[in-house]
Amino acid sequence: MNDKEDNNAEKKPFTLFNNETGQSIEIPVLQGSEGPDVLDIRKLHEETGMFTYDPGFTSTASCESEITYIDGLKGILRHRGYDIQELASKSEFLEVCYLLLHGELPSIEDKNKFIDVISNHTMLHEQLVYLYRGFRRDAHPMAIMVGVVGALSAFYHDSTDFSDIKQRMVACHRLIAKIPTIGAMAYKYSVGQPFVYPRNDLSYTENFLYMTFSVPTEEFKISPNIVKAMDRFFILHADHEQNASTSTVRLAGSSGANPFACIAAGIASLWGPAHGGANEAVIKMLEEIGDIENIPMFINRAKDKNDPFRLMGFGHRVYKNYDPRAKVMKESAHDVLKEINNNNDPLLKIAIELEKIALQDPYFIDKKLYPNVDFYSGIILKALGFPTSMFTVLFAIGRTVGWISQWKEMIEDPINKIGRPRQLYKGKVSRNYQLEDNRDKKSIFNWLWKK
Ligand code: SDX
C-alpha cells in the first residue's frame, strides 16, 4: 500500500473543545481519494484520556483500503474504480477475483495464467472427505462450511506463514479455488449424493455447477445463460468494503491468525440473518407472505416497533438509496426465470409487488429503506435449483475473494496492528468479596433451575 499519510498533510485540522475543562485539541483530518474525510483520533485517548463511543461502528473507519468504494447516498459500488454494473455486464468472476487481489484488470497472458493457477488448486485433500462424514446429513451447509474451511489450516501448513509473499499468494489462490468445491460437497452431502471431483476443462463457475448438480449416471448439460447468471451472482457478492464479515476477517487476521481460520470466522459472521443469511430469510418471508393480498399485513408488521419482524432484503447500513447490486439482480431474476420457462414464479410476483408497495410507504421512504443485494438473489438461486439452505453458502463462495483480498491488504499494510477496541464501562465499581452468609438469600436464577 502506498504511504497515504503524506497525501493528507494539506487538510486543516479539526479543533475539539471540551466545555467542561476548557481543553482544546487539534485532530488531523485525513482525506481519501473519494468519500468522506476522516478524523484521525489515534492520539485522542493519549491527549484527552477519553475514548470515542460508536456501537456498530456507524461513523467509524477501521482501516485504509483501496479495494472497494461505496457511496450509499448515490447508490454507487466500485471495485478498484470500476462500477459494479460494468463488471457484472462485461467481466467474469475470475477476472474480478484478479482485479480485487491485484488492483488491475489482468493482461490476456496474466488472466490465462491466473485461471490456470486457480484450476490447479480446486481439489481438496482427500482426508477432508472424512470430515464431511462427521456431520449429520441434515446439518446446515453453513455449519459445514465453517468447519471445513477452518480445517484447511490443518492440511495446508505450507501456506500459513504469510510473512512470505509466495505463501500469502498460495493461501489466497487455494481459498478462491477450493471454496466452490467445499460448497458443492456440502450440497452433495446434504442430499446424499456422491461427491463430484472438479474438472480443469470447465470454467470456474461451470465447474461449480458441475460439482453441485451433475450425477454419475448421466452426462451433465447446462445452459450458458445459467452459467452466466451464476457467474454474475458471484461478481455481485465479491466484496463490499468493511461489512460485518469482512471486518471479522480483518480483526481475526490482525492477531496473526492464519488465513484459513480468518475466512472461517468470516463465514460464521456472514451466516447471520442481518447479513448474508438474509437471502435465505427473504425466500422464507416471501413464502410466508404466500399471496399478494397478504403484503399489507407484513408491511404493517415491519413498521410495528413492538414486532421483531423486519422486511428481509430491505435496508442497509450504508445504502440509503437503491443497492446497485439489487438492480442487476432484479434484471437477472427475469432472465433466469425466462431461461427456465418459469415466467410466472409466484415469489417473484410477490417480491415485485412488495417492493412497489414498500417504496411508496412513508415509513420506508423516511428511513431510506430500499431493497438490498439479498432481496432478489434468492429468487434466482431457487430458480437455479438450490435449496434455501445453500443460499448463504453461495454468498460465501462469491465473498471469499473479497475477504481474502482485504486480509491480504491488511497484512501488507505497514501500519497494520492488532485490533483491540475499548468500551464504555457501565458495570459495578470496586466492592469487597462477601462470604456466603452475608449474601442476598433470594435466588435470581430459580427460573433457570426450574425443571
Ligand atoms: C448484507 O454491510 C454490508 O455491506 C452488508 C452486505 C454485504 O454485501 O456485505 O451488503 C450484505 O448484509 C445486506 C443486508 C441484508 N440484511 C437484511 O436484509 C436484513 C433486514 N435489514 C435490516 O436488518 C437492516 O436494515 C440492516 C441490518 C441491514 C441494517 O441495519 P442498521 O444499519 O443497523 O439500521 P437500523 O437497524 O438501525 O435501522 C434503521 C431504522 C430502524 O428503525 P428506528 O430504530 O430508527 O425506528 O430502520 C428500521 C429499523 O427498525 N429498519 C427496518 C428494516 N431495516 C431497518 N424496518 C423494517 N424492515 C427492515 N428491513
Side-chain angles (χ1 to χ4, degrees):
M1 176 176 282
N2 58 19
D3 183 346
K4 289 188 180 176
E5 302 291 318
D6 300 342
N7 304 347
N8 300 301
E10 68 279 7
K11 295 295 285 182
K12 286 194 171 43
F14 192 98
T15 302
L16 196 59
F17 180 75
N18 184 334
N19 287 307
E20 189 82 18
T21 63
Q23 179 195 16
S24 80
I25 63 165
E26 303 226 315
I27 298 182
V29 175
L30 308 182
Q31 188 177 27
S33 38
E34 55 182 330
D37 291 346
V38 300
L39 297 176
D40 181 352
I41 57 165
R42 280 175 285 184
K43 292 199 167 37
L44 182 80
H45 182 241
E46 184 188 317
E47 293 182 5
T48 69
M50 287 198 269
F51 299 139
T52 59
Y53 180 62
D54 185 15
F57 311 118
T58 49
S59 304
T60 295
S62 61
C63 62
E64 285 189 13
S65 181
E66 301 176 2
I67 299 173
T68 291
Y69 174 67
I70 302 174
D71 182 321
L73 293 177
K74 296 182 187 146
I76 290 172
L77 167 58
R78 293 195 199 110
H79 293 313
R80 304 286 191 178
Y82 296 99
D83 274 314
I84 190 64
Q85 294 90 339
E86 265 213 295
L87 293 173
S89 61
K90 297 176 184 168
S91 186
E92 59 190 28
F93 180 64
L94 220 41
E95 183 177 75
V96 171
C97 289
Y98 183 100
L99 175 67
L100 290 171
L101 265 182
H102 300 301
E104 298 297 338
L105 290 170
S107 64
I108 293 175
E109 187 193 357
D110 280 347
K111 182 172 176 179
N112 292 334
K113 283 202 180 121
F114 184 68
I115 290 171
D116 251 2
V117 161
I118 298 298
S119 298
N120 287 306
H121 279 296
T122 49
M123 281 178 72
L124 273 195
H125 191 294
E126 197 64 15
Q127 282 297 105
L128 274 162
V129 169
Y130 300 101
L131 184 62
Y132 278 83
R133 302 229 183 282
F135 290 97
R136 285 171 39 147
R137 289 280 180 177
D138 62 354
H140 194 291
M142 281 298 279
I144 296 177
M145 293 295 281
V146 172
V148 173
V149 172
L152 292 178
S153 42
F155 289 83
Y156 299 108
H157 297 291
D158 61 340
S159 60
T160 51
D161 171 11
F162 44 78
S163 59
D164 166 0
I165 175 70
K166 282 213 170 67
Q167 290 201 34
R168 206 149 66 226
M169 286 320 303
V170 169
C172 294
H173 294 152
R174 276 179 165 150
L175 279 155
I176 293 168
K178 295 180 193 303
I179 199 76
T181 311
I182 294 168
M185 288 171 71
Y187 170 71
K188 283 302 196 192
Y189 189 70
S190 72
V191 294
Q193 288 181 0
F195 295 137
V196 176
Y197 286 107
R199 277 177 43 186
N200 292 353
D201 62 319
L202 300 178
S203 73
Y204 183 91
T205 300
E206 190 176 4
N207 195 17
F208 167 66
L209 292 168
Y210 166 72
M211 291 187 286
T212 304
F213 293 122
S214 77
V215 286
T217 51
E218 53 195 55
E219 197 193 341
F220 178 70
K221 286 200 182 71
I222 192 158
S223 129
N225 292 336
I226 296 293
V227 176
K228 179 71 192 147
M230 187 81 252
D231 196 75
R232 190 183 306 127
F233 174 94
F234 287 147
I235 291 176
L236 294 172
H237 287 80
D239 189 53
H240 210 241
E241 203 213 59
Q242 305 311 320
N243 58 83
S245 52
T246 298
S247 299
T248 302
V249 170
R250 279 182 172 260
L251 196 55
S254 72
S255 74
N258 74 71
F260 305 107
C262 294
I263 300 304
I267 294 173
S269 170
L270 185 76
W271 195 358
H275 191 12
N279 53 19
E280 182 177 350
V282 166
I283 289 294
K284 289 186 174 147
M285 175 187 73
L286 294 175
E287 287 168 344
E288 193 186 347
I289 292 173
D291 191 296
I292 285 176
E293 65 185 29
N294 299 327
I295 289 176
M297 177 186 61
F298 281 84
I299 294 255
N300 290 333
R301 282 189 58 195
K303 291 163 28 176
D304 178 357
K305 277 271 144 262
N306 302 316
D307 188 331
F309 173 78
R310 283 197 167 176
L311 220 45
M312 300 317 279
F314 256 77
H316 198 278
R317 170 62 56 76
V318 176
Y319 290 122
K320 301 308 169 191
N321 196 326
Y322 213 95
D323 182 333
R325 301 167 296 175
K327 276 196 186 117
V328 182
M329 210 65 94
K330 186 175 179 181
E331 289 151 26
S332 192
H334 282 290
D335 297 347
V336 169
L337 290 170
K338 203 165 96 203
E339 176 70 21
I340 61 168
N341 298 318
N342 175 6
N343 293 311
N344 300 312
D345 183 323
L347 294 184
L348 180 63
K349 284 190 165 34
I350 295 171
I352 292 171
E353 189 62 19
L354 176 60
E355 175 192 347
K356 199 168 90 195
I357 297 173
L359 294 186
Q360 290 162 358
D361 186 298
Y363 174 92
F364 293 88
I365 295 167
D366 296 348
K367 292 182 187 299
K368 297 183 171 34
L369 302 175
Y370 291 86
N372 59 47
V373 67
D374 294 307
F375 189 64
Y376 286 102
S377 60
I379 289 165
I380 295 172
L381 299 177
K382 193 165 180 294
L384 293 179
F386 292 100
T388 48
S389 61
M390 277 292 289
F391 287 9
T392 311
V393 168
L394 297 163
F395 193 143
I397 291 172
R399 184 53 57 88
T400 292
V401 63
W403 288 329
I404 202 64
S405 301
Q406 298 264 356
W407 169 84
K408 177 175 170 290
E409 182 179 65
M410 177 197 66
I411 294 292
E412 294 170 354
D413 185 343
I415 61 171
N416 165 42
K417 55 171 57 177
I418 189 165
R420 206 293 186 198
R422 301 302 303 273
Q423 62 180 11
L424 173 63
Y425 178 67
K426 302 280 272 183
K428 299 282 188 193
V429 294
S430 174
R431 54 180 174 163
N432 299 319
Y433 181 80
Q434 296 297 321
L435 294 173
E436 286 172 4
D437 292 347
N438 303 336
R439 293 175 202 167
D440 195 327
K441 298 286 177 279
K442 71 179 185 313
S443 161
I444 53 176
F445 276 115
N446 50 14
W447 59 273
L448 193 59
W449 316 139
K450 214 181 284 172
K451 289 275 174 272

